[in-house]
């Protein structure tokens, strides 16, 4: 099969999902191409949206939170004749020519922007290639219900009610889970993982991360976590936020139980080494941790769609949160000291489904391509 995955650069989560799907498909011998959907409008538009989103996420989370709430309350802003719809469909003629030339067997959209672009192409040009949307958060985000694709792969069957609408009939919805890299379906013994993470095997380990962009009050939390005892280690993952990494290295260079890291490629091993994960509730990150049965404490850094991720895991018992930085630091210390509470959280996470989402999506396209070949024959 030759599959097109249409992502964009509004945060790394959608790209991580795209890469996870590509990884699994290629392990099965299929070919996948990932493209930035906004490039079909123009490079300047893609760059502006990407840089604007990163700036807002890191420095003005309240703007994102309020914007997301506004979109939820005003779904009409995405309808056919809206300014947003017109902008997103500006590149569809160029995209259609690309699809005609490339002859893909299937199209996967792990973001709502390309889902709308493909919906417009289906409406205008009559595209008959199998298509799907893949949700990367535990909610149906604004705009998704304005799309009309062949399948909608969502985190869990219990969320189907949130996606079902006139454009998305219930039999088009599949509770697949969220695709993550295959490394998260494998585990290393905790003692071995701790050694690889420079943590003594008999010490407790707290991992803190504000998503791939290093968002949220990481510096303030690190200050408060200096109260951790010497046999509790803190690893802070700064992701692509080099300024945050420099600040932390400067301020905590003498804190021997602190480990400051930039972009970590082997997050699976780092999670295997952790006893507790302090993070903002981004859809990809919390799914990775849940597959590891790793108890979580959530930082309310951005809200918006992440509020639904937070609710999903706190209600299921696999995560906890607190109202302010002092309470978050205190909660982490209490959980690290209380093995029974963490074990109970682990049990709640173990009870959640552990589908290999990329495998579920691959099976769907294998079936659809098989039907196409059979019909053609």
């Amino acid at each position: 099969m030759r599959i097109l995955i249409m992502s964009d650069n509004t945060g790394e989560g959608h790209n991580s999902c795209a890469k996870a799907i590509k990884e699994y498909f290629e392990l099965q011998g299929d070919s996948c191409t990932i493209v930035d959907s906004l490039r079909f409008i123009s490079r300047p538009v893609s760059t502006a949206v990407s840089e604007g989103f990163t700036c807002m996420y890191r420095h003005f989370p309240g703007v994102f939170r309020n914007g997301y709430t506004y979109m939820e309350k005003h779904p009409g802003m995405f309808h056919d004749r809206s300014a947003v719809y017109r902008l997103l469909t500006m590149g569809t003629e160029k995209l259609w020519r690309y699809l005609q030339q490339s002859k893909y067997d299937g199209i996967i959209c792990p973001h709502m922007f390309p889902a709308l672009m493909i919906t417009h192409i289906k409406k205008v040009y009559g595209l008959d290639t199998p298509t799907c949307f893949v949700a990367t958060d535990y909610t149906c985000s604004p705009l998704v219900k304005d799309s009309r694709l062949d399948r909608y792969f969502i985190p869990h069957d219990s969320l189907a009610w949130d996606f079902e609408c006139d454009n998305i009939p219930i039999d088009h919805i599949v509770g697949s889970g969220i695709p993550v890299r295959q490394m998260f379906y494998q585990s290393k013994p905790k003692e071995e993982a701790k050694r690889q993470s420079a943590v003594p095997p008999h010490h407790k380990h707290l991992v803190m991360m504000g998503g791939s962009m290093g968002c949220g009050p990481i510096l303030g939390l690190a200050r408060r976590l200096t109260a951790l005892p010497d046999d509790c280690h803190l690893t802070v993952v700064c992701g692509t936020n080099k300024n945050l990494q420099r600040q932390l290295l400067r301020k905590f260079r003498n804190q021997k139980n602190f480990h400051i890291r930039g972009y970590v490629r082997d997050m699976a091993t780092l999670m295997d080494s952790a006893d507790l994960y302090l993070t903002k509730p981004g859809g990809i990150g919390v799914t990775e941790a849940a597959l590891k049965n790793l108890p979580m404490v959530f930082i309310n850094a951005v809200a918006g769609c992440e509020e639904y991720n937070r609710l999903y895991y706190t209600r299921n018992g696999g995560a906890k949160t607190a109202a302010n930085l002092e309470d978050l630091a205190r909660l982490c210390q209490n959980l690290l000291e209380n093995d029974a509470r963490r074990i109970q959280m682990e049990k709640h996470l173990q009870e959640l489904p552990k589908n290999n989402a990329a495998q579920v999506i691959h099976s769907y396209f294998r079936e659809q391509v098989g039907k196409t070949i059979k019909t053609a024959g």
Side-chain angles (χ1 to χ4, degrees):
M1 293 189 297
R2 296 184 67 250
I3 301 295
L4 176 66
I5 306 175
M6 297 187 63
S7 188
D8 62 41
N9 295 318
T10 54
E12 188 56 27
H14 311 288
N15 287 334
S16 292
C17 177
K19 291 172 185 175
I21 295 170
K22 176 182 171 71
E23 176 192 37
Y24 184 84
F25 274 60
E26 292 186 344
L27 285 172
Q28 312 312 310
D30 297 305
S31 170
C32 282
T33 301
I34 300 175
V35 299
D36 173 9
S37 60
L38 296 180
R39 288 286 183 95
F40 290 99
I41 301 174
S42 72
R43 285 180 179 269
V45 166
S46 176
T47 300
V49 171
S50 175
E51 292 179 353
F53 188 90
T54 301
C55 178
M56 182 168 55
Y57 229 59
R58 281 182 180 167
H59 306 296
F60 306 102
V63 174
F64 177 83
R65 183 184 304 117
N66 293 335
Y68 191 93
T69 301
Y70 183 86
M71 289 189 292
E72 287 186 307
K73 293 180 178 178
H74 301 84
M77 67 183 295
F78 298 122
H79 292 170
D80 285 11
R81 297 180 182 178
S82 69
V84 175
Y85 186 95
R86 290 198 301 272
L87 172 65
L88 291 176
T89 55
M90 281 174 57
T92 50
E93 183 177 347
K94 182 179 179 181
L95 174 57
W96 172 245
R97 292 198 301 270
Y98 172 77
L99 294 177
Q100 290 293 96
Q101 293 167 2
S102 303
K103 303 295 182 184
Y104 288 104
D105 297 306
I107 301 171
I108 300 173
C109 302
H111 191 276
M112 52 191 177
F113 288 170
L116 188 60
M117 296 170 74
I118 292 298
T119 297
H120 185 73
I121 282 181
K122 287 168 69 74
K123 178 180 175 182
V124 174
Y125 300 102
L127 177 71
D128 58 4
T129 304
T131 61
C132 79
F133 171 78
V134 182
T136 57
D137 289 294
Y138 291 74
T139 184
C140 184
S141 301
L143 178 65
V144 172
K145 289 183 179 179
D146 287 290
S147 65
R148 191 187 290 267
L149 304 184
D150 299 315
R151 283 293 182 276
Y152 290 77
F153 294 97
I154 68 172
H156 190 263
D157 288 329
S158 64
L159 301 172
W161 64 270
D162 194 21
F163 288 79
E164 186 181 5
C165 63
D166 290 342
N167 282 355
I168 308 175
I170 192 67
D171 61 351
H172 286 201
I173 302 171
V174 180
S176 61
I178 296 178
V180 299
R181 289 167 292 171
Q182 295 304 299
M183 69 171 73
F184 291 98
Y185 294 96
Q186 304 164 9
S187 295
K188 291 181 180 178
K190 189 171 290 291
E191 289 189 358
E192 178 187 338
K194 282 187 177 181
R195 288 192 187 96
Q196 291 185 24
S197 302
V199 176
H202 59 286
H203 285 194
K204 294 291 171 48
H205 189 199
L206 171 64
V207 173
M208 176 165 63
M209 183 175 181
S212 64
M213 292 187 289
C215 301
I218 303 300
L219 188 59
L221 278 166
R223 288 197 190 100
R224 288 160 177 83
L225 289 166
T226 54
L228 288 173
D230 291 342
D231 63 351
C232 285
H233 286 240
L234 170 67
T235 295
V236 185
V237 180
C238 302
T240 58
N241 195 334
K242 294 182 180 179
N243 183 52
L244 173 64
Q245 185 179 8
R246 285 192 294 268
Q247 286 181 294
L248 290 167
L249 286 170
R250 185 172 63 251
K251 290 182 181 295
F252 302 108
R253 59 182 177 274
N254 297 322
Q255 196 81 18
K256 293 184 178 179
N257 60 338
F258 276 31
H259 311 272
I260 312 302
R261 302 179 64 175
Y263 187 87
V264 174
R265 296 191 180 279
D266 190 3
M267 273 300 296
T269 295
L270 192 60
M271 285 185 176
D272 284 333
S273 77
D275 298 285
L276 188 66
Y277 187 36
L278 176 59
T279 184
K280 75 181 188 66
I284 300 295
V286 297
T287 302
E288 292 169 347
L291 286 169
K292 295 289 187 181
N293 299 315
L294 175 59
M296 293 173 273
V297 172
F298 288 147
I299 308 164
N300 186 18
V302 180
C305 52
E306 295 190 358
E307 174 69 8
Y308 298 96
N309 304 336
R310 180 187 70 81
L311 289 171
Y312 181 85
Y313 280 100
T314 53
R315 287 172 177 171
N316 280 299
K320 298 184 182 298
T321 191
N324 55 58
L325 301 190
E326 287 77 12
D327 288 346
L328 281 169
R330 192 177 301 113
L331 174 61
C332 288
Q333 187 162 348
N334 289 341
L335 286 171
L336 288 169
E337 293 171 352
N338 192 324
D339 293 346
R341 289 182 70 190
R342 292 199 321 280
I343 289 170
Q344 188 61 41
M345 294 170 72
E346 289 175 16
K347 287 180 179 177
H348 288 305
L349 290 169
Q350 287 168 3
E351 293 168 357
L352 296 175
K354 298 290 193 294
N355 293 334
N356 189 327
Q359 182 181 46
V360 176
I361 297 167
H362 181 267
S363 296
Y364 166 73
F365 279 99
R366 271 289 184 197
E367 180 182 355
Q368 295 306 306
V369 170
K371 288 179 180 178
T372 302
I373 293 172
K374 187 175 181 180
T375 301

